[in-house]
Amino acid sequence: MWTNSLERRWLLQLVLLHTAWESGSGQLHYSVPEESQHGTFVGRIAQDLGLEVSDLVPRMFRLESQGHEDYFEVNVQNGILFVNSRIDREELCAKSSVCAIHLEVIVDKPLGVFHVEVEVADINDNAPVFSVIEQTLFISESRLPHSSFPLESASDSDIGTNALLTYKIILSDYFRLNVVTNEDHSKSAGLELKKPLDREDISVHHLLLTANDGGKPELTGTLRIVINVLDVNDNAPLFNQSVYKVQVPENPVNGTLVTTLSATDLDEGMAKEVAYSFSSLVSARVKNVFQISEITGEIKIIGLLDYEDLNLWEIQVVAEDKGNPPLAGHCKVVVEIIDVNDNAPEVSLKSLSVPVPENSPQGMVVALISVSDKDSGVNGQVICSLWPPGLPFKLVSNFRNYYSLVLQEPLDREQVAKYELVVTGRDEGTPSLSATRSLVVPIGDINDNAPTFAQSSYTIFVKENNPPGAHIFTMSASDPDVAENALISYWLDEKLWPLSSYISVHSESGKLYALQPFDYEELKLLEFQVSAKDAGLPSLCSNVTVQVFVLDENDNTPAVSGLEEAPMLLVVPVTTGQVVGKIRALDADSGYNAWLRYELHEANSGPWRVGLYSGEISTTRILNEVEGGSSQNLLVVVKDHGKPPLSATVTLSLSLVANTQAIKTDARLPRTGGNAKPLEDTANLYLIIAICSVSSLFLLVILVYVALRCQSQAKEAMMYGPGTATLVCASEVGSWSYSNRHSHILAGVSGEPGAKSDLMVFTPNVPVFSSNGEVGNMKELIPNSSGEGMSIE
C-alpha cells in the first residue's frame, strides 16, 4: 500500500515538472526515484523534444551522459526514456541538495543538440548510522551538575527530511539528553549531568542513544554509551574556541600549517599539562591528510587536498591532561578548501561533417565541440577560440559549453583543398589554463570549372603526302577540378563542316590524326574546332580553334605550255642578244618547289642561250645570211628548286631563212626585227608599276587585317573546311605559287629536321614551325592579278 502511494507521488512530481518545462524552462527535465528498477519509465523523450519516432534511427539519435554511467537508455522504437541500471543517489551525489544527471541528445541531418536533466529523487533507504557501536566516557565524580559531554553524532546519507535526525535516550537519574542545532541545521547530541556522580554508589553507567530520521517509514540507529565514573582530577582542558574554521587553498605543499589549537587546564602539576590528538571518532582518511602535534596543537598537511574531491573537512580534536585519571576537552576544526585553477579545460569533438562541399551555404554547421573544466567559479568558465585567423569558419557558442563550427565565407576547393584548424579552450582562472583540439576539414569538389586550353587557337603545319592515320598534334586541356570533374574527353565540332574524312581526335588523349594523305595542290588549310568536356554533373566544356596548314612537297614536275609543234622561222641576219623566242612552263607546287630555271642542253647549245629564270631564247653571236636555210633543234631543260629537284625537257625547232625567203613566209614568221628591245622595255616598265601598286595595296590590307584581328579575336569570322586554291604568277625571275588563304601565322608543330623555309615576308621576326618543330623565317610571295608580277607579304 505504501509503495503504491509513493509511486503516485513521484508520478505527480513528474507531471508538475514536465508542465513547468513546457512553460519556458528551455530544456527537458524529468525526475525519477533512486533505486528504481531496470526498465522504469522516465518520460516520452522523443515526443517531448518534438521528434518523430520514425526519424530516431535515420537521424542517428544518440544519448550521451556527462561523466556518468549509462543509467538511462532510450527505446528508439517508441521514443521512451527508461532506467537502464540501478541509481544510488548517495553514491552519485553524496549530500548535495539537488542530484541531477545531465544528458545530451544529439541527432544528425540536420544536426541538433538537446539538453535533458533527470533529477534523482531521494528515498529513505539509509538508516542513521553512528561511526562506532559503543562510546565510552570517563567522567570524574567531581564534575558539577549541568556539565556537558559530547556524544558521537549519527549521520544519514539521505537528504532533506529523510536525513533530519532526532535523538532519544533511555531515562536516567544522572543524565539527560542535550541536543544542539548547528549552523548548518544539523543536530549534535550530548549528555548533561543532572546531579553529581558517586563512584562508590555507581561506578559504571550504561545508556542507549537512539537516532531517528524523518523519513516515512522512520529508520533508526543506536549507540551504546558506557560511562566510567572517575575519581580525582576534576578540571578538564578547555579550548579557547569550540569550533575552529580555516580556509586552505587546494594542492598545498606537505607540511603546510593549517591552524594551531590552544587548550588550557585549571589544574596544577601534571594535571595541567595538555596533549592534543585526533578524536577516536576521526576516520583514517582524515589521518592520512592531516597531522596534529601532540605538544603544540599545530595541525599540518601531510596528504593531497583536492577541491574537486572534497571541499570541506570536519575534524574532531581532543585535548587531554595528564591527571589521574586524565580529563579531556573537545573542539571541532572545520577546514574549507579553496579552489585553485589546477585543471585544464577539456575539448572534445562531438560531431564532424566532412568533407564540406565547396558550394555549401553560409551558416552550415560543420562540427559540434564541447568544452568542460573540473574547476569551479571563474576557474571553470571556458572560452573557445579558433586558429589560425582568416579562416572561412567561426565558432558559435551554444548552451552549456557547447560550440558549433559554422561556415561564414564561400569556399573554393581549387584555392584551398583542406583546412587545418585548432580549437583552443581557455579558462578564466589565474593563471589561465588551456587545451587544444586539432581538426582537419577537407573541402569536397563540385564541377565549377570548365576545361581550358593553353592557347586560344592552334596553328599546325603538316607536310603533304603524309601517311594515313599519322599523328599530327596533341590537344591538351586542363581542369582544376578533381576526380570525374577533371576527366576530360575531346571531340571535333562538325556542326559547320564535315571533317570526319580528314581529321579525327582521340577522345581520351586528345591526339589529332590525319585520316588520309593531304595534297597541297587540292587542300591547303583545314580550320575547325576541338571541344573538351569534363565528366562532371552537369558537364562543362570549352572550344578551341585549330588551323592545319598543309606544307608543299616537291611532288610535281614542271609543265611546259603554249609550244607549237611547227618549227619557228627566223630571218637572218640576226644581231647578238636578240630574243628569238620564250619557253613558258608552270609547276603545280609552291615556293621554291615552283621556282623554275631554264638551261640548254650542252650538246646542242650552238649560238644560242636561254634566260636562267625568264626562259627567253636569244643569240650569243651574229647570224648572217650564209647560215640561212639551216635548221636547228634546241633541247631546253626546265628544273625547279625543290629538294630533290624535278625537271622536264622541251625541244624547240628553229629554221633560219634569208631575206628573199622571208617575203614568201612573212605571214608565218615572228617579228624579231630591230624594234623588239624597245617593246620589251616598255612591257617591263608597265610590269614593274603593276607589281609595286599591287604589293602596296596588299600590304595595306594585311596591316588592317592584323590590327582588327588583335583587337577582336573573338569576333573574327570563322571559316571551316579546306582553304582556297593556289594562285600562280610568272615573271622575269621565274614562276611562283603559294596559297593566299591566310597571311598571318599563329603557331604550329611537327616536321622533319633541317627543313628549309620557302616563304619570304617583310617582318622576319614572325615565327613559323617547320615539320620538325624548328623555327625559321617564313617567306610568302603572293601573285598579282595579272599573273606576271609578284608582291611580298
Side-chain angles (χ1 to χ4, degrees):
M1 183 66 180
W2 175 81
T3 303
N4 293 335
S5 175
L6 182 62
E7 290 180 353
R8 286 195 299 270
R9 187 178 70 179
W10 289 124
L11 288 175
L12 180 59
Q13 289 183 357
L14 276 173
V15 172
L16 292 175
L17 287 172
H18 181 65
T19 303
W21 174 82
E22 287 186 342
S23 63
S25 65
Q27 63 184 14
L28 287 181
H29 184 94
Y30 299 106
S31 179
V32 63
E34 64 173 328
E35 304 295 340
S36 298
Q37 298 297 321
H38 173 76
T40 301
F41 173 86
V42 178
R44 301 184 181 276
I45 189 169
Q47 178 180 341
D48 296 336
L49 291 176
L51 300 176
E52 294 294 335
V53 175
S54 58
D55 292 339
L56 298 184
V57 174
R59 294 187 65 183
M60 298 180 66
F61 181 96
R62 52 194 182 275
L63 188 69
E64 291 190 9
S65 176
Q66 297 182 351
H68 299 297
E69 299 178 3
D70 296 330
Y71 291 116
F72 302 95
E73 284 290 339
V74 175
N75 187 338
V76 296
Q77 303 300 324
N78 53 25
I80 292 178
L81 179 68
F82 63 91
V83 176
N84 184 47
S85 60
R86 172 182 172 271
I87 305 174
D88 188 349
R89 186 190 186 284
E90 289 71 35
E91 179 182 350
L92 186 64
C93 301
K95 298 289 289 184
S96 298
S97 59
V98 177
C99 182
I101 297 176
H102 299 283
L103 305 175
E104 306 294 341
V105 175
I106 302 175
V107 294
D108 293 335
K109 302 177 183 178
L111 180 64
V113 180
F114 306 92
H115 178 68
V116 179
E117 184 180 82
V118 181
E119 181 181 358
V120 180
D122 183 47
I123 63 173
N124 193 26
D125 58 340
N126 292 281
V129 177
F130 291 90
S131 60
V132 294
I133 300 175
E134 182 180 281
Q135 182 178 1
T136 301
L137 300 177
F138 296 91
I139 302 177
S140 174
E141 62 178 349
S142 61
R143 295 299 291 267
L144 298 177
H146 305 295
S147 296
S148 297
F149 306 94
L151 297 176
E152 169 68 8
S153 296
S155 62
D156 195 323
S157 299
D158 297 322
I159 62 170
T161 57
N162 295 331
L164 188 61
L165 303 181
T166 58
Y167 295 92
K168 296 179 182 179
I169 196 171
I170 60 174
L171 295 178
S172 171
D173 295 333
Y174 292 92
F175 298 94
R176 69 167 61 93
L177 183 63
N178 186 18
V179 179
V180 177
T181 302
N182 301 320
E183 291 180 359
D184 57 354
H185 303 291
S186 63
K187 295 181 179 181
S188 301
L191 289 179
E192 181 180 347
L193 187 61
K194 294 166 60 176
K195 61 181 181 179
L197 298 174
D198 187 357
R199 183 179 177 278
E200 288 70 23
D201 184 19
I202 303 176
S203 61
V204 179
H205 295 264
H206 294 276
L207 302 176
L208 183 64
L209 178 63
T210 302
N212 300 322
D213 61 20
K216 299 295 182 179
E218 185 180 81
L219 301 179
T220 62
T222 58
L223 173 68
R224 296 194 301 271
I225 303 173
V226 177
I227 301 174
N228 295 312
V229 181
L230 303 177
D231 202 6
V232 192
N233 190 18
D234 56 354
N235 288 291
L238 181 65
F239 286 94
N240 57 2
Q241 292 179 228
S242 61
V243 177
Y244 289 83
K245 293 184 178 181
V246 183
Q247 289 184 335
V248 179
E250 65 175 324
N251 305 320
V253 180
N254 286 348
T256 301
L257 178 65
V258 177
T259 187
T260 300
L261 306 180
S262 177
T264 58
D265 194 312
L266 298 178
D267 294 325
E268 296 291 337
M270 293 294 293
K272 186 179 181 65
E273 296 182 7
V274 178
Y276 301 92
S277 63
F278 290 134
S279 170
S280 60
L281 307 178
V282 172
S283 65
R285 183 180 182 184
V286 174
K287 295 178 181 179
N288 291 333
V289 178
F290 299 96
Q291 182 184 59
I292 188 170
S293 173
E294 181 179 354
I295 299 174
T296 63
E298 293 180 343
I299 298 178
K300 295 183 178 181
I301 303 296
I302 60 172
L304 177 64
L305 282 180
D306 190 354
Y307 176 88
E308 289 72 36
D309 183 26
L310 184 63
N311 58 14
L312 187 68
W313 297 79
E314 292 186 358
I315 308 171
Q316 298 289 339
V317 179
V318 176
E320 188 176 52
D321 61 24
K322 296 183 179 180
N324 190 14
L327 299 178
H330 302 269
C331 76
K332 181 168 67 173
V333 179
V334 179
V335 181
E336 181 183 356
I337 309 303
I338 300 175
D339 182 41
V340 298
N341 193 25
D342 60 339
N343 291 282
E346 295 179 0
V347 181
S348 59
L349 181 65
K350 293 298 183 180
S351 178
L352 179 63
S353 301
V354 292
V356 180
E358 58 180 324
N359 63 343
S360 299
Q362 298 182 27
M364 174 184 174
V365 178
V366 177
L368 181 66
I369 301 167
S370 69
V371 292
S372 60
D373 196 314
K374 294 181 180 179
D375 294 320
S376 62
V378 294
N379 296 331
Q381 296 178 4
V382 182
I383 297 176
C384 272
S385 61
L386 201 59
W387 187 91
L391 295 174
F393 304 98
K394 66 178 179 179
L395 286 175
V396 177
S397 176
N398 297 335
F399 58 92
R400 297 182 63 86
N401 291 335
Y402 270 87
Y403 288 83
S404 294
L405 184 65
V406 177
L407 180 64
Q408 66 172 350
E409 295 178 6
L411 300 175
D412 189 351
R413 191 209 62 82
E414 287 69 42
Q415 293 184 1
V416 181
K418 68 176 180 180
Y419 291 90
E420 296 181 357
L421 47 90
V422 178
V423 179
T424 302
R426 185 177 300 276
D427 60 30
E428 297 185 356
T430 303
S432 179
L433 300 178
S434 64
T436 60
R437 178 64 185 264
S438 298
L439 298 178
V440 177
V441 181
I443 307 303
D445 183 51
I446 63 169
N447 192 26
D448 57 346
N449 291 281
T452 56
F453 290 92
Q455 299 176 204
S456 59
S457 63
Y458 292 87
T459 299
I460 307 168
F461 294 88
V462 180
K463 287 186 176 182
E464 66 174 329
N465 303 321
N466 56 282
H471 172 225
I472 61 174
F473 193 67
T474 299
M475 306 301 299
S476 178
S478 61
D479 194 320
D481 294 323
V482 295
E484 65 275 2
N485 295 332
L487 187 61
I488 300 175
S489 59
Y490 303 87
W491 80 94
L492 294 176
D493 188 353
E494 298 185 275
K495 295 179 179 178
L496 299 179
W497 194 277
L499 299 169
S500 58
S501 61
Y502 295 96
I503 296 290
S504 70
V505 61
H506 193 277
S507 61
E508 295 180 359
S509 65
K511 291 183 176 181
L512 286 176
Y513 296 95
L515 299 181
Q516 63 182 10
F518 293 143
D519 187 354
Y520 176 82
E521 287 70 39
E522 295 181 1
L523 178 67
K524 294 176 176 56
L525 172 65
L526 278 175
E527 187 168 307
F528 53 89
Q529 283 195 333
V530 175
S531 298
K533 180 177 70 173
D534 58 33
L537 291 176
S539 62
L540 302 176
C541 68
S542 61
N543 302 324
V544 68
T545 300
V546 180
Q547 295 174 324
V548 178
F549 284 92
V550 181
L551 299 180
D552 182 45
E553 288 285 314
N554 193 24
D555 58 346
N556 291 279
T557 59
V560 179
S561 63
L563 186 64
E564 298 180 356
E565 295 183 359
M568 180 182 296
L569 298 179
L570 181 63
V571 179
V572 294
V574 178
T575 60
T576 303
Q578 181 175 339
V579 177
V580 298
K582 185 172 183 179
I583 304 298
R584 288 180 172 82
L586 296 177
D587 195 315
D589 293 322
S590 174
Y592 278 95
N593 298 328
W595 188 12
L596 302 181
R597 63 184 179 184
Y598 303 86
E599 299 174 359
L600 284 177
H601 198 276
E602 296 179 357
N604 59 354
S605 59
W608 311 100
R609 65 181 177 188
V610 64
L612 180 61
Y613 297 110
S614 65
E616 293 178 345
I617 299 174
S618 60
T619 59
T620 60
R621 59 181 176 83
I622 298 175
L623 298 178
N624 52 36
E625 295 181 356
V626 177
E627 297 177 284
S630 64
S631 178
Q632 296 188 20
N633 292 326
L634 301 181
L635 182 60
V636 180
V637 180
V638 184
K639 294 182 180 180
D640 58 27
H641 284 73
K643 290 188 177 181
L646 301 179
S647 65
T649 59
V650 60
T651 301
L652 180 64
S653 297
L654 295 175
S655 296
L656 302 180
V657 296
N659 285 331
T660 56
Q661 297 173 327
I663 298 174
K664 299 178 182 179
T665 58
D666 184 66
R668 296 188 293 112
L669 286 177
R671 300 298 180 178
T672 58
N675 294 332
K677 192 65 177 179
L679 291 176
E680 182 180 350
D681 293 339
T682 303
N684 288 338
L685 177 61
Y686 292 152
L687 181 60
I688 292 173
I689 295 174
I691 290 174
C692 294
S693 300
V694 173
S695 299
S696 301
L697 180 61
F698 187 76
L699 283 175
L700 179 62
V701 172
I702 291 302
L703 292 175
V704 174
Y705 174 78
V706 171
L708 294 177
R709 182 80 172 187
C710 294
Q711 291 178 0
S712 181
Q713 184 68 29
K715 298 181 179 180
E716 180 183 5
M718 193 65 65
M719 298 182 65
Y720 298 87
T724 59
T726 301
L727 297 181
V728 179
C729 69
S731 68
E732 294 180 349
V733 296
S735 299
W736 293 78
S737 65
Y738 193 70
S739 170
N740 66 348
R741 176 67 176 86
H742 276 276
S743 61
H744 63 281
I745 301 300
L746 299 180
V749 295
S750 78
E752 299 176 357
K756 182 178 179 181
S757 174
D758 63 351
L759 303 179
M760 293 185 295
V761 294
F762 280 133
T763 55
N765 293 329
V766 179
V768 63
F769 292 85
S770 63
S771 59
N772 67 342
E774 296 182 356
V775 178
N777 289 330
M778 182 173 184
K779 305 174 183 179
E780 181 176 351
L781 280 79
I782 303 301
N784 59 20
S785 59
S786 65
E788 296 181 353
M790 73 179 84
S791 63
I792 301 176
E793 179 188 356

